[in-house]
């Protein structure tokens, strides 16, 4: 049996990209005869300037949306990261295993640091070290597979490196995990800037489709999506035609088709956009309905998170205790 772990950061409202690139894959994973743990990684939201009330609100919303998307407490463990102390306990041991250089090479650190400095903001130390906390999230459960989007591949590779290094120095303690990715739409791009990821913590403009967007808002955003210049028609080419390729990726992910094959069925952008809009609206409709039901009964979600934290703690504590002994710390 393989143990699966993945998490979502409550730094913004969940998007179509989150749903297609991660959440829907999580729902599929819990149907397998494996053990699955999914986490709202709220500690990661503290790496940048934030409003405490908003973090709490988005954490609750994220958990509710995960349940609305199809995760079932009977088949998986759903919990909030800060409710399980072992994440922070293990993170420090892994900071003592990681090097400054490999953390500074993280692409997301470079990008976010450059953006913060350009706007005159300070850069928190936690922005540099949060990939180590992410590694602790994964390794505390002896995770075998981490279903994530392509943008997190580098962080999973760091996790693997830290697991191997710790095991070599102090004796076998951690399972070395691997990342798994959906076949298409692993990285949904912004509808207005198809060279950039559709991110929940970025701009809230017309390029980002949120899971809780009303159908008309979804249609408007898709119909206004940037395609590409020229008269090349509808062709699937990520490098030369990123706007069209993004729409075809989204349509393929919604309908189960192949993006290149789908391109052959269109002679113009208008029909493609209408079909993409229809597919996205129908894909998200049941999630929005179920979210409204769960949001009206917050006690149910809170009970699921409490039970999930208890199960997660029971798995992680002996692993982290073993790591403390292995690295040379006295038992209390």
């Amino acid at each position: 049996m393989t143990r699966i772990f993945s998490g979502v950061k409550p730094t913004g409202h969940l998007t179509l990209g989150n749903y297609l690139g991660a959440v829907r894959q999580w729902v599929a994973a819990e149907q397998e005869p494996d053990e699955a743990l999914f986490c709202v990684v709220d500690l990661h939201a503290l790496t940048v300037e934030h409003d405490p009330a908003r973090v709490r609100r988005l954490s609750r919303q994220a958990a509710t949306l995960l349940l609305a998307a199809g995760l079932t407490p009977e088949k998986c463990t759903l919990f909030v990261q800060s409710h399980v102390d072992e994440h922070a306990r293990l993170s420090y041991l892994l900071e003592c295993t990681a090097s400054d250089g490999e953390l500074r090479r993280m692409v997301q650190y470079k990008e976010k640091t450059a953006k913060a400095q350009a706007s005159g903001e300070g850069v928190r130390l936690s922005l540099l070290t949060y990939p180590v906390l992410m590694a602790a999230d994964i390794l505390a459960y002896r995770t075998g597979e981490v279903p994530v989007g392509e943008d997190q591949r580098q962080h999973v590779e760091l996790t693997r490196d830290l697991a191997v290094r710790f095991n070599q120095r102090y004796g076998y303690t951690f399972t070395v995990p691997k990342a798994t990715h959906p076949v298409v739409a692993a990285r949904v791009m912004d509808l207005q800037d198809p060279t950039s990821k559709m991110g929940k913590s970025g701009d809230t403009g017309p390029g980002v489709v949120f899971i809780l967007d009303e159908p008309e808002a979804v249609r408007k955003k898709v119909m206004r999506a940037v395609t590409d210049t020229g008269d090349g028609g509808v062709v699937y080419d990520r490098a030369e035609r990123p706007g069209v390729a993004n729409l075809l990726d989204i349509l393929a992910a919604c309908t189960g088709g192949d993006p290149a094959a789908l391109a052959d069925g269109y002679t113009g952008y208008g029909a493609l956009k209408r079909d993409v809009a229809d597919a996205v609206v129908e894909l998200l409709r049941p999630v929005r309905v179920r979210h409204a039901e769960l949001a009206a009964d917050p006690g149910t979600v809170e009970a699921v998170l409490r039970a999930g934290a208890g199960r997660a703690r029971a798995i992680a504590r002996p692993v982290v205790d073993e790591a403390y002994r292995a690295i040379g710390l006295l038992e209390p």
Side-chain angles (χ1 to χ4, degrees):
M1 179 178 291
T2 299
R3 183 170 288 150
I4 297 168
F5 177 94
S6 199
V8 61
K9 185 165 57 174
T11 51
H13 301 287
L14 296 186
T15 70
L16 175 67
N18 298 130
Y19 183 71
L20 292 177
V23 176
R24 194 170 63 165
Q25 189 181 5
W26 298 359
V27 175
E30 74 166 12
Q31 306 303 319
E32 302 297 327
D34 297 316
E35 186 174 12
L37 298 99
F38 302 112
C39 182
V40 178
V41 286
D42 54 345
L43 294 176
H44 291 294
L46 311 185
T47 60
V48 294
E49 188 68 28
H50 63 278
D51 172 33
R54 186 170 187 266
V55 170
R56 286 190 290 270
R57 183 172 64 254
L58 290 177
S59 296
R60 187 176 294 107
Q61 183 187 88
T64 304
L65 274 173
L66 293 180
L67 292 172
L71 291 183
T72 53
E74 296 80 15
K75 295 181 179 179
C76 71
T77 299
L78 175 63
F79 65 104
V80 175
Q81 178 190 32
S82 62
H83 295 176
V84 181
D85 293 343
E86 278 62 36
H87 292 250
R89 289 181 61 208
L90 181 56
S91 183
Y92 181 72
L93 298 194
L94 296 179
E95 285 185 14
C96 296
T97 308
S99 71
D100 175 79
E102 63 189 343
L103 294 183
R104 293 187 186 278
R105 286 194 294 272
M106 294 289 105
V107 172
Q108 288 196 24
Y109 172 72
K110 292 179 180 179
E111 292 176 348
K112 291 181 179 180
T113 298
K115 184 177 180 180
Q117 291 174 338
S119 61
E121 298 177 1
V123 178
R124 300 187 181 192
L125 178 62
S126 55
L127 187 61
L128 175 66
T129 60
Y130 97 88
V132 178
L133 177 58
M134 179 177 172
D137 299 337
I138 297 166
L139 298 181
Y141 299 97
R142 293 201 168 117
T143 302
E145 293 184 4
V146 187
V148 292
E150 289 181 359
D151 59 315
Q152 294 296 324
R153 183 188 297 272
Q154 188 183 33
H155 289 159
V156 178
E157 287 303 313
L158 174 66
T159 301
R160 290 171 54 85
D161 292 343
L162 295 180
V164 169
R165 191 177 306 156
F166 193 100
N167 290 345
Q168 290 175 340
R169 289 179 180 177
Y170 309 115
Y172 179 82
T173 306
F174 301 119
T175 298
V176 180
K178 66 177 182 179
T180 57
H181 309 279
V183 177
V184 295
R187 191 175 191 186
V188 176
M189 312 307 282
D190 189 289
L191 295 176
Q192 291 298 311
D193 179 10
T195 62
S196 300
K197 185 183 72 167
M198 184 182 287
K200 63 180 180 296
S201 56
D203 184 58
T204 59
V208 180
V209 173
F210 297 101
I211 295 176
L212 294 179
D213 274 347
E214 294 291 336
E216 285 311 305
V218 173
R219 294 183 191 280
K220 183 179 293 186
K221 290 177 180 180
V222 174
M223 294 307 294
R224 293 179 177 177
V226 169
T227 49
D228 304 288
T229 58
D231 299 320
V234 179
V235 179
Y236 184 72
D237 186 332
R238 281 177 176 265
E240 300 297 327
R241 313 293 297 279
V244 175
N246 188 38
L247 290 172
L248 289 166
D249 274 337
I250 293 171
L251 182 60
C254 290
T255 63
D258 174 79
L262 287 170
D264 294 335
Y266 295 95
T267 57
Y269 299 145
L272 171 62
K273 289 181 176 181
R274 284 191 293 273
D275 285 354
V276 172
D278 288 343
V280 172
V281 167
E282 290 308 309
L283 181 75
L284 298 182
R285 188 186 306 279
V287 181
R288 292 177 58 251
V289 171
R290 180 57 178 153
H291 175 269
E293 296 171 350
L294 289 168
D297 182 20
T300 296
V301 178
E302 291 170 3
V304 168
L305 295 177
R306 282 196 300 270
R311 291 196 298 271
R313 198 176 298 116
I315 297 170
R317 182 162 295 170
V319 176
V320 176
D321 286 349
E322 182 178 337
Y324 269 56
R325 290 191 297 269
I327 207 169
L329 300 177
L330 288 174
E331 294 186 41

